[in-house]
Amino acid sequence: MNRRPVDIAFSPSVKAAQQRKGSRGAYAAMEMGNTIDPNLAAFIAQVRSFYLATASADGQPYIQHRGGPPGFLHVLGERALAFADFKGNRQFISTGNLAENPKAFIFLMDYAHRQRVKIWGSARVVESDAELERRLMPEGYRARAEQVILFDVEAWDANCPQHIPQMFHADDVQQAIEQRDGRIALLEQEIATLRSTQ
């Protein structure tokens, strides 16, 4: 029997919990995506950060933040993502976990638009591939690639904005302020011109 994408997230234990707590009926016919459609690709292209979850062979979970300029998380195909893994604190917990347990999870959050996307799959680390690192490195970004992480998508879901606080990236706020200030300056100039002709 082929597993549906939703069955990856909704294991028998999850379904039992849903049944016990009264939500199973609402989720029984739910479907999730298993390929990256144009809407998801556009969402991913704007991402400035995400969380990568892995677990050790004995199930000890670990979540690592990854950040960079928009577009640093690349869509390589309808079921493949990749990113240059920038040199950081060199603990290599995610790297070690993926060496013994390829199951992984990506959590994407867009606070400005109060949207979140969850992606289940498996991942692997690619080391010493300078050409792939070069291809995935954001242009002009001040970081060094330690390695590359390739992520195979098995299922994904975008869910409700409930309880997501609305927050904005500092660069976006600065741009909005500069646009507002520029508009104010133009209006003040127009007012000064009108006053001088009276």
Side-chain angles (χ1 to χ4, degrees):
M1 182 176 95
N2 286 341
R3 252 191 342 169
R4 299 178 306 153
V6 71
D7 294 328
I8 293 167
F10 294 169
S11 67
S13 179
V14 171
K15 290 174 185 174
Q18 291 171 346
Q19 187 69 41
R20 192 175 71 254
K21 293 182 175 283
S23 65
R24 183 71 200 132
Y27 289 115
M30 180 180 173
E31 290 295 333
M32 291 182 178
N34 66 349
T35 57
I36 300 168
D37 64 22
N39 289 332
L40 178 57
F43 184 88
I44 290 170
Q46 298 305 311
V47 165
R48 286 186 172 104
S49 71
F50 64 89
Y51 294 91
L52 174 68
T54 60
S56 62
D58 66 359
Q60 179 61 49
Y62 180 69
I63 297 176
Q64 178 67 55
H65 174 264
R66 291 292 184 259
F72 85 101
L73 178 60
H74 297 257
V75 174
L76 295 188
E78 66 175 14
R79 297 189 70 175
L81 301 170
F83 61 94
D85 197 21
F86 306 137
K87 191 170 184 175
N89 61 23
R90 301 180 61 77
Q91 291 181 339
F92 300 117
I93 298 173
S94 297
T95 300
N97 284 350
L98 290 174
E100 59 185 14
N101 179 359
K103 292 294 183 189
F105 180 85
I106 288 178
F107 188 82
L108 307 167
M109 181 72 84
D110 178 351
Y111 287 102
H113 298 100
R114 300 179 67 227
Q115 296 176 319
R116 63 184 155 208
V117 173
K118 302 175 290 188
I119 306 175
W120 289 262
S122 59
R124 65 189 184 282
V125 175
V126 177
E127 298 177 350
S128 304
D129 188 331
E131 175 56 27
L132 184 58
E133 287 176 8
R134 186 197 60 72
R135 214 173 100 212
L136 296 175
M137 271 301 294
E139 190 175 335
Y141 189 60
R142 293 183 58 156
R144 248 183 18 170
E146 179 91 48
Q147 57 200 9
V148 166
I149 294 183
L150 299 177
F151 189 97
D152 297 319
V153 175
E154 295 177 21
W156 67 271
D157 182 45
N159 62 343
C160 73
Q162 190 176 20
H163 308 302
I164 299 175
Q166 191 170 40
M167 296 184 284
F168 299 93
H169 193 276
D171 290 345
D172 296 336
V173 172
Q174 182 62 38
Q175 183 179 11
I177 289 171
E178 288 172 1
Q179 289 173 347
R180 182 210 58 194
D181 289 350
R183 179 72 179 138
I184 289 171
L186 283 174
L187 291 171
E188 287 176 341
Q189 188 176 17
E190 288 178 20
I191 290 169
T193 301
L194 288 171
R195 285 182 175 159
S196 68
T197 59
Q198 289 180 351

